[in-house]
Amino acid sequence: MPHVPVLLQEVIQMAAPRPGERVLDCTFGGGGHTAGILRQTNCYVLGIDRDPDANARAEIIKEQFKSRFDFEHMKFSEIGRLVEKHDKFDVVLFDLGLSSFQLDDADRGFSFMHCAKLDMRMSMEGESAYDIVNGISRKELSTVIDYFGDDPKASRIARAIDEARVKKPIETTWELADIVRSVYKLPPGQRKNSRTDAATKTFQAIRNLVNCELLELNRALENVVHIINNNARIITITFQGLEGRIIKCWAKSMKVCITPINKTVIRPSRQEIATNPRARSAILRGFVYTDDARVRSVGEGIQRSE
Ligand SMILES: C[S@@+](CC[C@H](N)C(=O)[O-])C[C@H]1O[C@@H](n2cnc3c(N)ncnc32)[C@H](O)[C@@H]1O
């Protein structure tokens, strides 16, 4: 399945890039949003991605848009260091989660749609899903599946994994998915009162831990205000409740300088979901940053009096 950028028109409308402005796409992926923004107006985009495979896709965009586009292979938790060699940005985009390139590449071991060695590393380095599923304690597994996956049967799934790995290590996506489904007593592709597979939440939880996804997001949000201009727009697309909660807490804590663009969140239309089912749980939020000298002096005053 090709990667189709989610909520593209809505993102462009919210980002409202103007000629000469600078956009940071923190989740370049296949460059779908980047290309859409570059086509919209004569602006500049810096794309970043932690996945080394994104380099080749960035080269195609570079060929097309020349000096209006650059790419850096890095994690978005590190965006603070961009100020060392880049001017500040007017738009910052986070389209969280996985691209179709990652999901559909069997060798990456993200999805139970393919039988592959458990991996799930976006950066292709560090501990893999195999290491975690076979290495952490039953209690830790249960906590991870409960917290990151919000699966009500987390402790039973952890027990089933523990019992299976005593006999032999759990090596593939299909082995892990079958163990989770055995707890739900359901065949592949089904879950009681739901259209998603019983293994979905466990896979989401393990992937989250492998890639420290929530920590990455928290660090990026901490740093983003240091790399943006006055009136910059920060756009987020989330697919998991926990990510959404982090964004909401951040916006609340920054309300002195961050204002939501829309009163309510934006979701894909039925038509978009019909043509791109992977968009179904996407939630779009946008914020405007105001670097107001009065706001800064209030902040400094609070700090001094503490
Ligand atoms: C949903 S895809 C983005 C798709 C892109 N907007 C497009 O239209 O092609 C998310 C991308 O973000 C990358 N990513 C996720 N977490 C990241 C992080 N902490 N730092 C940098 N890139 C990250 C993933 O590797 C993936 O390529």
Side-chain angles (χ1 to χ4, degrees), residues 25-46:
D25 182 351
C26 289
T27 47
F28 173 80
H33 287 104
T34 284
I37 289 169
L38 285 165
R39 276 190 210 108
Q40 177 72 12
T41 191
N42 188 17
C43 61
Y44 167 84
V45 178
L46 173 66

Side-chain angles (χ1 to χ4, degrees), residues 252-280:
K252 205 167 166 196
S253 70
M254 300 289 290
K255 68 174 187 238
V256 72
C257 53
I258 293 279
T259 316
I261 295 173
N262 279 55
K263 283 211 176 91
T264 54
V265 298
I266 294 177
R267 293 170 198 272
S269 63
R270 268 200 220 135
Q271 199 186 347
E272 176 167 357
I273 296 170
T275 53
N276 182 16
R278 282 181 182 160
R280 66 182 174 273

Side-chain angles (χ1 to χ4, degrees), residues 110-115 145 151 153 156-158 160-161 172-192 195-203:
F110 279 110
S111 164
F112 48 76
M113 300 301 282
H114 314 279
C115 186
I145 298 167
D151 194 313
K153 292 192 195 285
R156 283 163 64 185
I157 294 169
I161 291 174
T172 69
T173 49
W174 280 8
E175 283 170 34
L176 178 61
D178 281 344
I179 292 165
V180 180
R181 289 173 192 139
S182 72
V183 172
Y184 273 93
K185 300 189 172 55
L186 284 171
Q190 276 179 42
R191 179 183 193 123
K192 237 178 206 160
R195 279 178 302 162
T196 48
D197 193 288
T200 303
K201 290 185 170 202
T202 297
F203 270 64

Side-chain angles (χ1 to χ4, degrees), residues 61-124:
I61 303 279
K62 179 80 185 162
E63 225 162 77
Q64 203 179 342
F65 294 96
K66 311 276 189 286
S67 62
R68 292 176 55 211
F69 172 74
D70 285 306
F71 178 78
E72 287 202 24
H73 173 226
M74 62 182 276
K75 295 197 248 181
F76 57 56
S77 54
E78 297 162 354
I79 51 176
R81 72 172 165 82
L82 289 175
V83 282
E84 290 163 19
K85 54 178 188 159
H86 294 273
D87 290 338
K88 290 188 172 183
F89 297 91
D90 305 290
V91 177
V92 180
L93 170 65
F94 295 94
D95 172 19
L96 300 171
L98 294 174
S99 69
S100 298
F101 300 104
Q102 292 164 323
L103 276 167
D104 295 341
D105 183 346
D107 292 344
R108 304 295 300 268
F110 279 110
S111 164
F112 48 76
M113 300 301 282
H114 314 279
C115 186
K117 182 155 190 224
L118 278 170
D119 190 321
M120 302 195 194
R121 293 170 302 172
M122 291 186 197
S123 302
M124 297 190 192

